[in-house]
Amino acid sequence: MRTDRTPRHGSPTASPTGSPAPPDTPPAHAARHPLRAGAGVLIALLALLLPAANGLPYDDATGVGVHNAYQKSTFTHFADALDSGASMLELDVWTNFFGSGWRVSHDNPLVNDNNCENARNPSQLRTRARNQSLAGCLNDLRGWRQANPRHRPILLKLEMKDGFAANLGRGPAQLDALIEDILGDAVLRPADLRGAHATLDDAVRADGWPTHESLAGRVIIHLIPGTLEEGNPLDTLWTDVEYARHLRDLAAAGNLGRAMAFPAVHRAASGDPRTRYAETSIRPWFVVFDGDASAYGSIDTSWYSARNYLLVMTSAHAVAPAISATNPTEAQALDRVRLLSGRHASVVSSDWARLPGVLSTVVPRG
């Protein structure tokens, strides 16, 4: 295990300058975990690697995610998604004024259409009416956690389909309050990761992320702009910018502990993708990146792992040579995990809900 980290739940060491390192300069400790030299051989022993992953820093491992895990065609109940062993589960969230509350649905922005039940305890899982709000999905997670207190770290991805709607009481602060009320300290907050550093960028480049073992029982939440939001010419404030500003401003006020999620830079770009943000003060608050796996094919993705950033690669099945999005063989899916782990993915995501042996796979990254 790397020995140049400060444990994130101990006493973190502050950056000497208190400001983020230049984005084009890798940290001095950029040499990766020793296991990586033999990753190609070790991945063939997948059954043996899962226990070994516990000692890996979270950013030194590659897990498997499920796209749209809330859909009833993917899992009958959200509890089934949680039981699947997947490292990442995705929810689509709508906020517009055509409906009420935080809705979880794929195509219908007006109502909830999902496998969540609003279970308040383990005994209620798989017993209640589905099609619940985001709060219902989070309550399912809370109820499931009561029965699985030492569960693997779960990355919960929220695609904000039409962005935030702060004018309707559905802005970043209200999302934080909802998550805090239901999941509380189960969530790894930006403040937990930042420690005594000035920014998230400072923190992960100096110390990386906690180990898988230390994150047992924890949930990490990241946000991306949604498809409708990105395609709306009238929407000039996307989720990534709005939440990054929220983090920056909370930190400046000494209130970063209120934040419950990490904004992600969405879609691949060469170099430092954060340069797309003209507002330079928000750039150091992005340490999660999310985009189509095929689009990263021509990009030097070692840039992400050298800086301890998380990189979520979606639509893994579409990378050449393409395999089935839903029913590849287990060997094909594991081959794809191995390929994209070698390309520095932190999460390899597709729709392989019926391959539990693949979903629970965690291997060294790189």
Side-chain angles (χ1 to χ4, degrees):
M1 185 172 69
R2 262 164 54 183
T3 57
D4 53 1
R5 299 178 177 267
T6 298
R8 297 304 305 150
H9 299 286
S11 301
T13 303
S15 139
T17 63
S19 60
D24 57 350
T25 305
H29 67 282
R32 308 308 287 160
H33 194 283
L35 281 175
R36 290 189 172 180
V41 175
L42 289 169
I43 290 174
L45 306 174
L46 291 172
L48 301 177
L49 278 173
L50 185 56
N54 282 335
L56 286 174
Y58 189 68
D59 56 282
D60 273 355
T62 301
V64 181
V66 179
H67 173 241
N68 292 349
Y70 63 89
Q71 289 190 296
K72 294 186 281 285
S73 59
T74 304
F75 294 104
T76 305
H77 299 94
F78 194 56
D80 300 328
L82 294 165
D83 275 343
S84 73
S87 292
M88 186 191 82
L89 301 172
E90 179 181 348
L91 301 176
D92 288 349
V93 181
W94 297 87
T95 64
N96 61 69
F97 63 87
F98 293 108
S100 63
W102 305 84
R103 280 144 279 144
V104 175
S105 172
H106 188 244
D107 295 320
N108 191 335
L110 307 180
V111 300
N112 292 293
D113 183 6
N114 57 67
N115 57 15
C116 301
E117 305 170 85
N118 197 31
R120 301 305 178 98
N121 57 63
S123 67
Q124 293 182 342
L125 293 169
R126 302 182 181 89
T127 68
R128 296 165 64 89
R130 295 174 296 177
N131 303 322
Q132 301 294 325
S133 67
L134 176 60
C137 298
L138 296 178
N139 274 318
D140 283 358
L141 176 52
R142 178 172 64 177
W144 180 85
R145 290 188 66 259
Q146 291 172 19
N148 301 274
R150 293 287 296 170
H151 63 79
R152 84 272 180 199
I154 296 175
L155 182 62
L156 186 65
K157 172 180 175 177
L158 303 184
E159 179 185 337
M160 305 300 294
K161 296 290 281 189
D162 52 354
F164 285 112
N167 59 321
L168 300 174
R170 295 190 276 276
Q174 290 77 25
L175 179 63
D176 290 341
L178 176 67
I179 297 169
E180 162 71 34
D181 182 56
I182 297 173
L183 295 179
D185 289 340
V187 176
L188 181 76
R189 307 172 193 232
D192 298 330
L193 188 64
R194 185 187 68 154
H197 293 283
T199 66
L200 291 178
D201 189 77
D202 256 348
V204 300
R205 294 180 68 170
D207 301 334
W209 293 67
T211 64
H212 262 260
E213 187 173 19
S214 68
L215 288 173
R218 305 298 294 278
V219 178
I220 304 167
I221 299 172
H222 85 278
L223 314 173
I224 65 166
T227 50
L228 185 67
E229 180 178 34
E230 291 179 326
N232 181 1
L234 301 179
D235 191 333
T236 59
L237 180 58
W238 290 1
T239 295
D240 51 349
V241 171
E242 189 166 2
Y243 203 84
R245 287 178 179 173
H246 178 61
L247 293 186
R248 177 200 61 194
D249 296 346
L250 285 175
N255 294 320
L256 188 62
R258 296 179 183 174
M260 303 297 286
F262 296 86
V265 178
H266 192 215
R267 303 190 186 279
S270 58
D272 185 345
R274 297 171 299 186
T275 58
R276 71 181 63 169
Y277 303 119
E279 205 169 346
T280 57
S281 62
I282 67 173
R283 294 178 187 174
W285 297 100
F286 290 96
V287 293
V288 181
F289 300 78
D290 185 305
D292 190 285
S294 297
Y296 287 106
S298 60
I299 293 172
D300 178 11
T301 50
S302 66
W303 183 88
Y304 298 94
S305 59
R307 290 160 177 78
N308 309 326
Y309 300 146
L310 301 188
L311 177 58
V312 177
M313 290 192 183
T314 61
S315 298
H317 57 275
V319 173
I323 61 176
S324 172
T326 55
N327 292 303
T329 66
E330 187 166 289
Q332 287 175 325
L334 290 174
D335 236 15
R336 189 52 47 89
V337 174
R338 180 176 68 246
L339 175 68
L340 297 181
S341 173
R343 294 180 185 176
H344 305 282
S346 304
V347 175
V348 175
S349 177
S350 189
D351 296 284
W352 301 328
R354 287 160 183 79
L355 294 175
V358 175
L359 296 185
S360 60
T361 297
V362 180
V363 297
R365 178 189 187 188

